Amino acid sequence: MKFTLTEEQTMIQQTAREFAEQEIAPTAIERDKNAEFPTEIVKKLGELGFMGMMVDPKYDGAGMDTISYALAMMEISKVDASVGVIMSVNNSLVTFGLERWASEAVKEKYLKPLARGDKLGAFALSEPEAGSDATQQHTMAHKEGDFWVLNGMKNWITNGTSADYYIVFAQTDKEKRHKGITAFLVEKGTPGFTHGVKEDKLGIRSSDTCSLSFDNCKVPEENILWEVGKGFNFAMNTLNGGRYGIASQAVGIAMGAYEKALKYSKERKAFGTEIANHQAIQFKLADMATKIEAAKLLTLQACGLKDEGKDYIKEASMAKLFASETAMEVTRDAVQILGGYGYVREYEVERMYRDAKITEIYEGTSEIQRIVIGRAITRD
Ligand code: CAA
């Protein structure tokens, strides 16, 4: 595996860094405080081609590789992890699956505006009683003429109130366990489809998360994605891609906290010298830098394998597991290095500490990643 970035990858990383520093960072504290969705920023991300980064240009995407996507995600998440997850869901969980498994008509109608960033997507798999055990879908769909009628509830849906198009999973044949699950494309505004209020969250507060409810919601037959009974495979294959997206988000959060801690340690004096000169601080910084580098390499490795058309399931899970735990450890140490300043909103590492936690939970908890890795290494 070669780790030298190409000229194009470096350029995309630089573009993302400048955009993050100039357009996202200055307002991140306020958005977090007010739990305010970054509508204008998401629009600009679309203009930069960052909402459909890996989608083929024939479907209005930017046609970039997965490594470029990861690098951009890291830069964006470094200054605001909420913006990172909004971008990740549209790229990894929505446009990825639609490009691979939707009909040409669905791609024309829904994928193109999503890839341009004109519309926003959401991925509705989790339910009140189906989180890690995703086969236990209680949302049901039955056929009536040319329509499928959905009834049920979804939980913890990122972009839940702001999205225009939702990929919704439902049981179409209860007897068949995961082979009886089907994926549907549901438009906001479809009668019978409503969303709940925004959750009041610990972190990633300016992204919006809510429940969805389906009450005799009629979806046209042509909005079935892939085919009837393929929904679980759709979800699992999509989540593999989601996992290097969240790994990139976690690396970005850790990078942001580390840079703030390093800068602070070179300015703050205690016991007659900058605290960066104390070994207690240097050891912390050394561990932080090493873990970030390892997490970044694992993440880029998973993305590189995907770009080469190779199997990357185990590597994506390893990247997410390690990067999310790194994000927790690094942000905790950054708060510790900043001391009292680290505990207040103004210095931002407390937000990064709160934001980091979700990376160990969504798109497969750390426990689920260990299951995926464990199964893969004992099967090989
Ligand atoms: N990639 C591709 N296919 C996979 C797969 C993977 N990683 N894992 C399982 N599958 C396939 C299997 O090959 C099998 O397919 P076939 O029947 O066609 O052979 C099928 O899925 C069922 O496999 P298992 O019997 O092994 O499934 P299981 O019930 O034991 O569950 C699991 C496997 C890995 C635990 C899975 O349930 C899982 O990943 N759970 C976590 C769900 C999750 O990540 N939820 C996140 C919600 S989305 C979110 O957070 C988005 C957001 O808003 C930010």
Side-chain angles (χ1 to χ4, degrees), residues 126 132 158 177-179 232-233 239-240 243 363-364 375:
S126 300
S132 289
T158 305
R177 193 180 171 256
H178 71 278
K179 289 187 193 295
F232 194 72
N233 297 78
L239 280 165
N240 293 329
R243 286 165 187 166
E363 303 202 21
R375 284 181 183 178

Side-chain angles (χ1 to χ4, degrees), residues 85 89 93 123 125-126 131-135 156-159 177-179 230 232-233 236-240 243 246 313 317 361-365 368-369 371-372 375:
V85 72
V89 166
L93 297 189
F123 182 85
L125 176 68
S126 300
S132 289
D133 189 0
T135 57
W156 319 125
I157 308 305
T158 305
N159 297 342
R177 193 180 171 256
H178 71 278
K179 289 187 193 295
K230 282 285 191 190
F232 194 72
N233 297 78
M236 288 298 112
N237 282 296
T238 301
L239 280 165
N240 293 329
R243 286 165 187 166
I246 298 307
I313 298 175
S317 280
I361 299 174
Y362 59 20
E363 303 202 21
T365 60
I368 289 293
Q369 306 313 325
I371 289 176
V372 174
R375 284 181 183 178

Side-chain angles (χ1 to χ4, degrees), residues 54 100 273 277:
M54 294 164 289
R100 264 146 209 84
T273 183
N277 295 325

Side-chain angles (χ1 to χ4, degrees), residues 11 37 87 99 108 145 166 188 274 330:
M11 201 186 73
F37 189 82
M87 178 176 150
E99 185 171 18
E108 195 61 38
Y166 299 73
K188 179 182 249 165
E274 287 77 16
V330 168

Side-chain angles (χ1 to χ4, degrees), residues 151-287:
N151 280 290
M153 184 143 187
K154 296 288 171 183
N155 252 24
W156 319 125
I157 308 305
T158 305
N159 297 342
T161 74
S162 311
D164 303 283
Y165 305 144
Y166 299 73
I167 295 178
V168 181
F169 299 87
Q171 276 286 356
T172 44
D173 188 342
K174 230 174 24 193
E175 307 304 313
K176 292 189 177 160
R177 193 180 171 256
H178 71 278
K179 289 187 193 295
I181 296 172
T182 303
F184 299 87
L185 191 304
V186 185
E187 284 188 45
K188 179 182 249 165
T190 307
F193 171 32
T194 50
H195 61 71
V197 293
K198 281 189 191 179
E199 302 290 352
D200 191 7
K201 305 191 297 277
L202 172 74
I204 54 162
R205 290 178 54 76
S206 77
S207 74
D208 90 82
T209 311
C210 69
S211 60
L212 308 178
S213 173
F214 300 89
D215 181 11
N216 287 323
C217 171
K218 284 172 83 176
V219 179
E221 169 98 38
E222 60 264 27
N223 282 20
I224 284 185
L225 305 173
W226 202 341
E227 57 189 68
V228 173
K230 282 285 191 190
F232 194 72
N233 297 78
F234 185 112
M236 288 298 112
N237 282 296
T238 301
L239 280 165
N240 293 329
R243 286 165 187 166
Y244 56 67
I246 298 307
S248 308
Q249 183 199 29
V251 171
I253 297 170
M255 280 162 47
Y258 165 74
E259 284 186 15
K260 289 204 180 290
L262 181 63
K263 182 168 179 288
Y264 180 84
S265 72
K266 289 178 180 172
E267 292 164 0
R268 170 76 180 187
K269 287 191 176 151
F271 304 103
T273 183
E274 287 77 16
I275 61 170
N277 295 325
H278 294 301
Q279 203 174 46
I281 301 297
Q282 278 183 14
F283 276 14
K284 271 199 185 357
L285 291 168
D287 285 346

Side-chain angles (χ1 to χ4, degrees), residues 102-167:
S103 66
E104 283 304 316
V106 167
K107 287 184 198 178
E108 195 61 38
K109 186 170 175 190
Y110 299 108
L111 174 59
K112 282 185 167 184
L114 285 164
R116 288 195 301 270
D118 292 344
K119 300 284 182 190
L120 187 66
F123 182 85
L125 176 68
S126 300
E127 298 190 355
E129 290 172 72
S132 289
D133 189 0
T135 57
Q136 299 306 307
Q137 298 284 303
H138 284 58
T139 297
M140 305 296 292
H142 67 272
K143 200 160 183 244
E144 277 183 18
D146 292 339
F147 289 86
W148 285 80
V149 183
L150 270 62
N151 280 290
M153 184 143 187
K154 296 288 171 183
N155 252 24
W156 319 125
I157 308 305
T158 305
N159 297 342
T161 74
S162 311
D164 303 283
Y165 305 144
Y166 299 73
I167 295 178

